[in-house]
Amino acid sequence: MKINMNEIDIKNQICDICRKMWQLGWVAANDGNISVKLGDGLFLTTPTGMSKSFITPDKIVKINAKGEVVESADGLKPSSEIKMHLRCYEERGDIGAVLHAHPPAAAGYAVANRALDEYTMVEAIIAIGSVPVAPYATPSTSEVPDAVAPYLHEHDALLLRNHGALTMGADLITAYYRMETLELWAKISLNAHLLGGADEMSRENIDKLCGMREFYGITGRHPGYKKYPEGSS
Ligand code: 13P
């Protein structure tokens, strides 16, 4: 649901999501970052090098589309991964928020270089589709945006090889929900594999679920066409 928010509301929402990410154990030390697009070519971002449990609205940094600081308290600098965030906005006009975290199950898939591309669970199929692993890139460098760019046109959720996860959405709540769905699905997949393997669904059932996205008001990019086994349920 699209809610009109002013800048103070957005800063409060960023801080709320930062605390949730920390409480959920998705970030340690200064891990993770969030950005939100404002209406006038400007962006808000979490500052670099700060625990997500400590961030308060006054610490949020305002930048322009080049990543230059427009407003910042106490000399705080934007997230070191801001180039990755800005590339998401450049490539995807429909995106209003970007979230990066290291949720342990999803990051485990990233470390194992294993895509989450089995169609096994209804909510994950409806909400995010398949989730690829973007190639390894050195954090904070332009290698990171270059590594993720080829995936951005078809995916709202990505794994970053040997690093973590990236989600995006029209607004911050949507980007955050996608990270929740990704992490829960990664945990469920791990459990299924411990139990002997995940049971992939039939093309017919996958297509039905993809058709329900409109009914649920789900926007964005999330393919429903990757591999599926012959004769599965
Ligand atoms: P920042 O503190 O610069 O946002 O970096 C955290 C991080 O997770 C790097 O990938």
Side-chain angles (χ1 to χ4, degrees):
M1 184 175 52
K2 189 89 183 150
I3 299 170
N4 281 331
M5 295 173 80
N6 63 34
E7 209 173 296
I8 296 167
D9 294 336
I10 297 171
K11 285 182 177 176
N12 282 323
Q13 193 180 53
I14 291 173
C15 294
D16 181 37
I17 303 284
C18 280
R19 274 190 297 276
K20 282 184 167 60
M21 296 205 304
W22 179 76
Q23 282 166 341
L24 286 163
W26 292 358
V27 288
N30 65 298
D31 295 350
N33 28 71
I34 290 176
S35 69
V36 172
K37 186 179 180 178
L38 299 172
D40 45 7
L42 300 173
F43 301 82
L44 296 175
T45 168
T46 47
T48 187
M50 191 178 290
S51 164
K52 301 305 158 290
S53 65
F54 297 148
I55 290 177
T56 47
D58 55 303
K59 297 193 170 65
I60 303 296
V61 179
K62 193 189 279 190
I63 56 166
N64 63 21
K66 292 182 187 157
E68 296 161 344
V69 174
V70 173
E71 235 176 73
S72 150
D74 307 325
L76 290 172
K77 296 195 175 94
S79 167
S80 61
E81 296 290 17
I82 200 62
K83 294 185 202 79
M84 169 178 72
H85 290 242
L86 290 172
R87 182 68 76 88
C88 295
Y89 298 113
E90 268 170 42
E91 302 281 343
R92 293 279 301 272
D94 58 320
I95 288 305
V98 177
L99 200 146
H100 164 58
H102 306 161
Y109 275 82
V111 167
N113 191 21
R114 290 269 295 268
L116 273 156
D117 60 1
E118 294 173 319
Y119 289 87
T120 53
M121 195 201 153
V122 294
E123 282 80 4
I125 293 170
I126 295 172
I128 52 177
S130 74
V131 180
V133 187
Y136 179 75
T138 309
S140 84
T141 68
S142 53
E143 286 173 28
V144 188
D146 290 347
V148 300
Y151 300 89
L152 294 176
H153 289 272
E154 292 198 320
H155 298 272
D156 297 312
L158 305 179
L159 299 173
L160 311 178
R161 186 167 176 183
N162 298 107
H163 187 170
L166 177 71
T167 58
M168 59 209 77
D171 51 56
L172 182 52
I173 293 291
T174 305
Y176 169 71
Y177 281 169
R178 285 180 175 148
M179 191 67 82
E180 275 194 350
T181 300
L182 173 64
E183 177 61 357
L184 187 61
W185 182 31
K187 284 182 188 162
I188 291 167
S189 293
L190 275 176
N191 285 337
H193 284 287
L194 279 173
L195 291 166
D199 179 26
E200 288 203 270
M201 296 166 66
S202 66
R203 182 74 259 171
E204 189 190 352
N205 281 332
I206 294 166
D207 287 343
K208 272 194 218 163
L209 293 171
C210 293
M212 294 178 82
R213 288 171 176 165
E214 200 179 334
F215 171 77
Y216 284 115
I218 291 173
T219 56
R221 317 276 170 89
H222 24 240
Y225 57 76
K226 285 279 160 103
K227 63 185 174 115
Y228 61 96
E230 289 297 324
S232 57
S233 63

